[in-house]
């Protein structure tokens, strides 16, 4: 045994050590990817549940599905319909705002990253719906029921678009604070935004099948993913200094437990 150990090629040992180090240096990307998909899905569950619960409060029969609710609006007034439509984005904004409040207090702990993603998706879900007010979606449906002018809807849509870009830019700046020292700006953009948005959105599409939306479901998720470019810009150009201590990016068993729980809820809704 000693002879075998003594005959080990130093070059092979060095290569093996280098590969082990490299695998550890990129393993941190797994946690952002898991929480990108998980936080996004949590916001959607809350969003759709808010539609259904608000409708139930008005006595409107509804069936809750993944990414949509089937309402029986035959006996509902225009105002009731408008409130039901707005309830979803409003719930998303509430969760996103609460997520930011909590994040500011736990930003240096393992809970920080999940709450940052919840903040990002909650707030942008609200303004993303506002961005489509002139075309389709919850705010568009509410605007039609309330008789809002097209000009007002266009102004709302522009406001929503600017807000989405601004929020994602700010989130990108914050994610720079989470970027490992060895990763740098490009690595941070790839690990926190590009890879999670590609893999995470693919996971979202997969776990939500089947959906009556057909190809438009994939198109909508792709469009949402494209807005992540503002987060990339925020991370790449921020001048903020990073904290001396690295923030926790190791995957915890709780990450997997929450992700599995979310998947089970979605599959039940589907």
């Amino acid at each position: 045994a000693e002879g075998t150990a003594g005959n080990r090629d130093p070059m092979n040992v060095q290569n093996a050590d280098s590969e082990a180090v490299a695998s550890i240096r990129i393993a941190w990307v797994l946690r952002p990817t898991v929480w990108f998909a998980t936080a996004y899905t949590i916001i959607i569950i809350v969003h759709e549940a808010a539609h259904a619960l608000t409708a139930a409060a008005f006595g409107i029969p509804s069936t809750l599905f993944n990414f949509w609710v089937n309402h029986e609006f035959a006996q509902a007034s225009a105002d009731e319909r408008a409130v039901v439509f707005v309830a979803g984005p409003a719930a998303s904004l509430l969760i996103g705002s609460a997520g930011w409040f909590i994040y500011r207090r736990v930003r240096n702990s393992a809970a920080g990253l999940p709450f940052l993603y919840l903040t990002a998706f909650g707030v942008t879900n609200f303004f993303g719906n506002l961005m489509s007010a002139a075309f389709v979606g919850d705010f568009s449906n509410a605007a039609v029921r309330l008789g809002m002018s097209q000009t007002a809807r266009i102004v709302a849509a522009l406001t929503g678009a600017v807000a989405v870009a601004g929020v994602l830019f700010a989130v990108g700046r914050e994610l720079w604070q989470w970027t490992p020292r060895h990763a740098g700006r490009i690595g941070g953009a790839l690990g926190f935004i590009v890879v999670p948005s590609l893999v995470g959105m693919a996971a979202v599409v997969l776990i939500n099948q089947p959906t009556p939306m057909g190809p438009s479901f994939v198109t909508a998720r792709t469009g949402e993913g494209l807005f992540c470019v503002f987060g990339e810009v925020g991370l790449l150009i921020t001048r903020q200094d990073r904290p001396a201590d690295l923030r926790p990016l190791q995957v915890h068993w709780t990450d997997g437990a929450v992700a599995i729980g979310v998947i089970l809820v979605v599959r039940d809704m589907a």
Side-chain angles (χ1 to χ4, degrees):
E2 290 180 359
T4 302
N7 292 330
R8 292 174 67 187
D9 187 344
M11 185 63 70
N12 290 337
V13 174
Q14 183 178 1
N15 290 339
D17 290 343
S18 298
E19 291 175 0
V21 171
S23 65
I24 293 173
R25 290 167 71 89
I26 65 173
W28 65 271
V29 178
L30 178 60
R31 192 163 192 250
T33 302
V34 168
W35 272 106
F36 188 101
T38 302
Y40 179 94
T41 306
I42 289 173
I43 295 300
I44 296 302
I45 291 173
V46 172
H47 177 111
E48 301 302 340
H51 284 310
L53 291 172
T54 304
F58 286 126
I60 301 171
S62 302
T63 305
L64 176 62
F65 294 96
N66 53 326
F67 263 93
W68 64 292
V69 183
N70 183 26
H71 299 293
E72 297 180 19
F73 277 137
Q75 304 301 320
S77 68
D79 289 344
E80 288 175 341
R81 296 186 187 192
V83 172
V84 170
F85 286 130
V86 172
S92 299
L93 180 62
L94 179 63
I95 296 297
S97 300
W100 176 248
F101 179 81
I102 297 172
Y103 172 75
R104 293 176 62 186
R105 286 154 179 76
V106 302
R107 68 191 335 153
N108 294 319
S109 70
L113 189 65
F115 279 104
L116 181 58
Y117 279 120
L118 282 171
T119 298
F121 289 125
V123 177
T124 56
N125 181 275
F126 175 86
F127 286 111
N129 274 274
L130 187 64
M131 183 174 63
S132 63
F135 313 102
V136 296
D138 292 329
F139 280 119
S140 176
N141 290 331
V144 170
R145 300 303 183 277
L146 296 175
M148 291 181 61
S149 68
Q150 185 65 15
T151 300
R153 294 169 64 184
I154 291 174
V155 171
L158 292 175
T159 301
V162 172
V164 168
V167 169
L168 291 177
F169 180 85
V171 169
R173 286 169 55 86
E174 189 63 32
L175 285 172
W176 170 241
Q177 303 294 313
W178 283 82
T179 303
R181 294 283 176 182
H182 64 78
R185 293 185 185 276
I186 300 298
L190 290 172
F192 282 113
I193 302 173
V194 177
V195 172
S197 65
L198 292 174
V199 179
M201 278 303 185
V204 167
V205 170
L206 180 63
I207 68 174
N208 278 280
Q209 298 304 315
T211 171
M213 303 174 196
S216 64
F217 181 77
V218 178
T219 302
R221 305 291 77 76
T222 301
E224 291 171 351
L226 291 176
F227 268 85
C228 289
V229 68
F230 293 104
E232 297 168 22
V233 173
L235 190 152
L236 290 172
I237 70 172
T238 181
R239 299 290 184 179
Q240 296 177 350
D241 293 329
R242 283 182 289 180
D245 297 328
L246 295 179
R247 293 183 176 177
L249 291 172
Q250 300 86 357
V251 176
H252 297 263
W253 69 266
T254 51
D255 299 331
V258 174
I260 292 171
V262 166
I263 291 173
L264 292 176
V265 171
V266 171
R267 295 312 307 156
D268 184 63
M269 294 169 71

